[in-house]
């Protein structure tokens, strides 16, 4: 009985928190920023984006960024996290033209921060994120950068 009361209290607290409501119920997006990359098919643009994501992995981790790639022809990266229905919902929610390559940066508050097509300017993207108020707080609290050489 005590465990049921504790779970009920947790659920009530979660239901009342506006930050938790920023992302849909059951969403994998909670305490991180997200890049959603949509494409018509797994092509050279997708391969390039995935390769660049790996090359910038430390910078992405330092900024709490998770990257998701979804194509109209069914390719998903990471492959086991989003169902086809969730991909369709995201495509509708963000009004994606399925014939083009579109990437969207979603902030920790669940709001769209930046949208771009085709190639990614990683330097601009990291500067944009670093200029955000919450990221400035994170930087101030950091003792060192894990990406420093």
């Amino acid at each position: 009985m005590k465990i049921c009361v504790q779970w009920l209290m947790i659920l009530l607290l979660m239901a009342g928190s506006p930050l938790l409501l920023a992302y849909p119920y059951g969403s994998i997006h909670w305490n991180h920023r997200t890049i959603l990359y949509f494409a018509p098919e797994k092509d050279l643009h997708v391969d390039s984006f995935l390769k660049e994501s790996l090359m910038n992995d430390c910078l992405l981790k330092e900024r709490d960024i998770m990257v998701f790639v979804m194509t109209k022809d069914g390719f998903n990266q990471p492959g086991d996290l989003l169902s086809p229905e969730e991909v369709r919902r995201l495509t509708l929610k963000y009004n994606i033209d399925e014939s083009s390559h579109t990437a969207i940066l979603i902030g920790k508050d669940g709001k769209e921060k930046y949208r771009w097509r085709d190639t990614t300017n990683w330097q601009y993207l990291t500067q944009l994120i670093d200029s955000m108020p919450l990221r400035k707080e994170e930087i101030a609290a950091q003792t060192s950068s894990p990406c420093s050489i």
Side-chain angles (χ1 to χ4, degrees):
M1 181 67 174
K2 185 177 181 179
I3 293 174
C4 285
V5 171
Q6 288 174 336
W7 277 107
L8 182 59
M9 293 292 288
I10 290 170
L11 289 173
L12 288 173
L13 286 172
M14 288 175 59
S17 173
L19 284 178
L20 292 175
L21 296 175
Y23 287 107
Y25 173 75
S27 171
I28 54 175
H29 313 286
W30 290 104
N31 295 316
H32 56 80
R33 295 168 185 92
T34 305
I35 294 176
L36 302 174
Y37 186 91
F38 299 89
E41 61 186 2
K42 187 176 182 296
D43 56 15
L44 293 176
H45 291 291
V46 172
D47 290 339
S48 177
F49 179 80
L50 288 169
K51 183 173 91 173
E52 291 169 6
S53 295
L54 286 173
M55 291 169 46
N56 290 285
D57 187 57
C58 189
L59 296 173
L60 293 169
K61 284 181 182 174
E62 182 178 14
R63 288 162 180 80
D64 292 327
I65 301 172
M66 292 190 68
V67 175
F68 295 89
V69 177
M70 298 154 279
T71 68
K72 184 179 177 182
D73 66 0
F75 174 79
N76 291 327
Q77 182 71 32
D80 58 344
L81 292 179
L82 297 173
S83 71
E85 179 57 35
E86 289 170 316
V87 172
R88 277 190 294 282
R89 245 187 320 217
L90 289 169
T91 301
L92 290 172
K93 178 179 180 174
Y94 293 106
N95 196 26
I96 300 299
D97 173 6
E98 293 183 306
S99 66
S100 68
H101 294 75
T102 305
I104 302 171
L105 172 65
I106 310 295
K108 287 187 174 184
D109 61 359
K111 296 179 181 174
E112 182 175 329
K113 303 299 182 183
Y114 181 61
R115 182 180 288 237
W116 66 100
R117 296 194 181 263
D118 297 323
T119 59
T120 301
N121 182 336
W122 294 97
Q123 183 178 3
Y124 174 78
L125 192 61
T126 54
Q127 289 172 348
L128 175 68
I129 293 166
D130 289 349
S131 71
M132 296 175 181
L134 181 56
R135 177 64 184 143
K136 286 181 180 181
E137 290 176 21
E138 293 168 354
I139 292 169
Q142 259 181 339
T143 55
S144 67
S145 171
C147 299
S148 298
I149 296 176

